[in-house]
Amino acid sequence: MDPLVAAIDQGTSSTRFLVFNAKTAELMSQHQVEIKQSFPKEGWVEEDPKEIMRSVYECMERTCEKLSLLNIDICNIKAVGVTNQRETTLVWDKETGEPLYNAIVWLDLRTQSTVESLINKSPGKNKNHLKHKTGLPISTYFSAVKLRWLLDNVEKVQQAVRSQRAMFGTVDSWIIWCLTGGNSGGVHCTDVSNASRTMLFNIHSMDWDPELCRYFDVPMEILPTVRSSSEIYGWMKSGSLAGVPISGCLGDQSAALVGQMCFNEGQAKNTYGTGCFMLRTTGTKPLTSHHGLLTTVAYKLGKDEPACYALEGSVAIAGAVVRWLKDNLGIVQSSSEIEKLAAAAGTSYGCYFVPAFSGLYAPYWEPSARGIICGLTQFTNRNHLAFAALEAVCFQTKEILDAMNQDSGVPLTQLQVDGGMTSNRLLMQLQADILCIPVVRPTMSETTALGVAMAAGAAEGVGVWNLSPSHLPNVTTEKYEPQINPDESEFRFSRWKKAVQRSMNWETNEPCCNTNDPQL
């Protein structure tokens, strides 16, 4: 039997455990569990860290059961990798192992006033004040401001910091710490790709930056150790896979970049999940964007390997807009139904939807924007709205692609895609039409999990996955060619941009003075 490598894929809306053949990259088995999100106040998004860990254990055990039914011996699993929703912020007690507050999810907006005051205090009120070190604008999106909120507002966190019992981590750190023993010797670490999303990490020195930590007033002793994305961090302490090394760790978007085999400068991929994330590898030198993109550490595949960087365009709401149509409006009963509705309309009939539920991310970085649907007439129905929602995902991707082409000076000739939404064929065709370039989707769309399995299997001391170009698996793909006139595409895009302008500067932190408002 060929060696197997497993991946824990802990995303915003679900957790999965997937097992791959290390020689062929074939997906052998998997299990998925949905994660509840809670919205305690408007703009707040939280998840329960204990529920996250329960879902990890459940997915692992269920997948092992499925493998046994297939007569596959789980002893063949030689390593486990962890890939995760990035930026989501946790603090826990290292003595009791208890989380001290819910995980504050990357989409959360509670720190908007903190972000505005930090920007107002910076020279020239510049949101890019820290970009020379972090590659990131000051935004609600990244971990440092969420951690600052926890340190300022949660008594338990303050007490734990005072008594030197607090540990901070993104989701990868929490999972690895729990799996390697928790309060009985758990390993407190993260990898470079996740660390680079905190605003506390210097992407040039490749370590926590004392000056950034002072800027956000974060005690450095609560931070995890930063390691490469491919090395043995520790061993599983319990369950069916006790004794198996955990040897890969990548933020989900970096993992998808590896899973799409984007190892050469200039290669790019776009992942359609809760949000939408386009990354383009820039090699071993960080490239600074002048068009609203982030500079991020893509991966470092081994202790002694160089770090590779990427330009990233991040869109907050992609698949989440479908979930909103389902859960909040009841327009669709299941996520798969949106394709049928949109196809029935075949057009948005002049209706444009800007789903700026968490403000606008790239290329605008405008936290004051809010969602807007415009161009409505008496003729508009739910089918048009479903079509407009799918178009919104495509338009947001086009804005990022345009920025990326301007930054790199070399236009992409096709777009590699992955993620849950890519099973929607109408969306993929719309994307090709709006970008005016082909869209290429791998038949096996689990590239995020595959990427971290590759990193785990290739780690020194595991060595069951060969990442040299001649050994990379051949991936079968589906290609969507543009089918509409570029002028029509450009017209629709210009209308979309008009709608985006109308969504801006909606939410401010100025006191409200409308005394007729029943809520006041």
Side-chain angles (χ1 to χ4, degrees), residues 310-356:
L311 276 179
E312 174 173 331
S314 324
V315 167
I317 304 292
V321 76
V322 181
R323 197 166 175 169
W324 181 79
L325 289 174
K326 176 168 77 81
D327 296 348
N328 294 35
L329 297 194
I331 281 179
V332 289
Q333 264 29 122
S334 68
S335 297
S336 55
E337 201 188 326
I338 192 163
E339 185 172 3
K340 285 190 204 115
L341 286 187
T347 168
S348 67
Y349 203 78
C351 166
Y352 290 84
F353 187 168
V354 182

Side-chain angles (χ1 to χ4, degrees), residues 291 397-407 493 497:
H291 298 93
T397 298
K398 178 166 169 59
E399 289 193 297
I400 290 168
L401 186 80
D402 287 353
M404 225 164 240
N405 286 342
Q406 285 175 294
D407 272 327
F493 185 53
K497 291 195 94 150

Side-chain angles (χ1 to χ4, degrees), residues 216 269 321 388 395 475:
F216 289 104
K269 67 88 207 171
V321 76
F395 287 135
V475 179

Side-chain angles (χ1 to χ4, degrees), residues 361-391:
Y361 283 15
Y364 302 100
W365 299 104
E366 190 46 79
S368 67
R370 285 296 176 272
I372 184 171
I373 300 172
C374 49
L376 295 171
T377 68
Q378 279 181 305
F379 182 73
T380 311
N381 63 31
R382 66 185 192 143
N383 298 1
H384 300 121
L385 205 53
F387 195 96
L390 293 183
E391 264 194 329

Side-chain angles (χ1 to χ4, degrees), residues 44-58:
W44 291 30
V45 190
E46 295 178 4
E47 290 179 353
D48 176 357
K50 286 178 145 178
E51 185 194 344
I52 288 174
M53 281 318 299
R54 280 195 301 273
S55 72
V56 168
Y57 287 119
E58 184 182 341

Side-chain angles (χ1 to χ4, degrees), residues 187-231:
V187 177
H188 188 214
C189 68
T190 187
D191 93 297
V192 293
S193 70
N194 279 295
S196 76
R197 313 296 294 186
T198 59
M199 280 200 298
L200 301 170
F201 184 78
N202 185 317
I203 61 171
H204 307 284
S205 69
M206 297 299 284
D207 209 346
W208 302 121
D209 189 294
E211 204 177 273
L212 291 169
C213 291
R214 277 197 298 277
Y215 182 87
F216 289 104
D217 196 16
V218 165
M220 290 186 78
E221 59 274 13
I222 73 173
L223 304 177
T225 307
V226 183
R227 312 270 289 265
S228 80
S229 314
S230 176
E231 62 178 272

